[in-house]
Amino acid sequence: MARIDGPLGDALTDLLELGFADLYLQPGPPLPAAAAPPRPEPAPPPPEPVAVEQAAPPPPAPASSETRLASLDQLAAEAQVCESCRLCRTRNKVVFGSGDPRAALMFVGEGPGAEEDRQGLPFVGPAGELLTKIIQAIGLDRNQVYIANVVKCRPPGNRDPRPDEAAACRRFLDGQIAAIQPKVIVALGRVAAQTLLGTDLPLGQMRGRWFSVQGRPVRVTYHPAALLRTPAWKRPTWEDMQLVRDRLAEGAREAV
Ligand code: URA
């Protein structure tokens, strides 16, 4: 296959590695024989309506950036010795979160798996490798985002976290969001999204719309582990992530 040089070629390579080959290598319609007369640029589509739903009232925002970073460190220290639920009895390591504490983009997963429990870091197993590629596909490095889970200790056998476990851990997640103040949050999978948003909606009804937590836009997409099982969901995930990337760019433009 011919190699395209430059940023477009790099982006295509990223997408191929992510598994989006089927999307981008399909032949397009034949090109017209003669050049068509120039047409005016189509008007950009109107912005997507934002469905704002508040899962819980936001905690008061800490004042300065230093205060917020200190509160994140304090929370991490508290999590290390937390015994608020049964998961503390079977955990090996607490998996508080990792990444840039000033990140514009935050991912929220479900809970640590075996490898995460061993290393004390989120998304470092096979699902984590795919999450890293998803992050790279929107032009970011893993260390430029923040990654956390709704529960900080591994549920035995990778079962879903129970509601009382998620509730016991909620103050850590809320504290992380309040300290980091991300411009966009991505909830990975049904369990993470339902817990973060405080809803029973099925994944199909959570995808495709914007929610709000602590006044911050939340997008729901498939969990990377689900993408490993069902590669056909990579395409809708890519579509979700393009909207996330656009939303981040809006935030960046507003900040200029
Ligand atoms: N799955 C999750 O939801 N979180 C992790 O940290 C790893 C796998």
Side-chain angles (χ1 to χ4, degrees):
M1 189 196 356
R3 158 94 201 156
I4 302 171
D5 289 325
L8 177 59
D10 294 344
L12 283 170
T13 305
D14 289 344
L15 291 166
L16 289 172
E17 282 174 7
L18 190 48
F20 292 117
D22 51 332
L23 269 183
Y24 292 91
L25 298 182
Q26 285 160 358
L31 292 171
R39 282 207 242 144
E41 282 285 304
E48 193 182 342
V50 176
V52 174
E53 288 166 27
Q54 198 68 56
S64 69
S65 166
E66 287 73 38
T67 316
R68 289 192 275 117
L69 291 185
S71 83
L72 193 62
D73 287 347
Q74 171 67 26
L75 268 185
E78 289 171 22
Q80 292 305 318
V81 293
C82 177
E83 295 185 348
S84 300
C85 82
R86 67 184 74 73
L87 296 183
C88 71
R89 296 200 288 271
T90 46
R91 75 178 173 224
N92 182 36
K93 288 204 173 135
V94 173
V95 181
F96 180 69
S98 73
D100 182 354
R102 293 189 173 94
L105 178 58
M106 176 170 175
F107 288 88
V108 177
E110 182 179 321
E115 191 54 30
E116 290 77 19
D117 178 62
R118 209 173 60 76
Q119 295 191 33
L121 291 168
F123 281 97
V124 286
E129 276 177 34
L130 184 51
L131 179 60
T132 301
K133 288 182 181 168
I134 291 171
I135 293 165
Q136 289 167 348
I138 57 162
L140 293 171
D141 274 342
R142 200 183 145 108
N143 59 13
Q144 291 178 292
V145 306
Y146 193 88
I147 306 175
N149 283 304
V150 292
V151 292
K152 312 302 186 203
C153 299
R154 183 189 183 206
N158 294 346
R159 65 163 169 75
D160 289 353
R162 295 183 183 147
D164 64 324
E165 295 160 354
C169 226
R170 181 73 199 211
R171 74 181 188 93
F172 293 120
L173 183 60
D174 281 338
Q176 285 171 309
I177 295 169
I180 295 161
Q181 300 198 350
K183 294 207 164 52
V184 180
I185 300 171
V186 175
L188 297 167
R190 176 186 63 81
V191 174
Q194 287 181 338
T195 309
L196 178 66
L197 301 172
T199 176
D200 288 337
L201 286 173
L203 187 75
Q205 286 178 36
M206 290 187 284
R207 280 194 57 249
R209 55 201 284 205
W210 288 102
F211 291 87
S212 170
V213 168
Q214 294 186 28
R216 297 183 184 272
V218 178
R219 199 79 188 180
V220 177
T221 194
Y222 291 99
H223 193 287
L227 301 184
L228 292 175
R229 291 189 298 269
T230 312
W233 290 341
K234 286 181 179 177
R235 180 190 180 124
T237 303
W238 172 235
E239 289 163 2
D240 295 338
M241 293 308 299
Q242 284 176 295
L243 290 167
V244 167
R245 183 191 59 192
D246 293 349
R247 189 83 188 225
L248 285 169
E250 275 171 33
R253 274 199 298 276
E254 280 159 18
V256 174

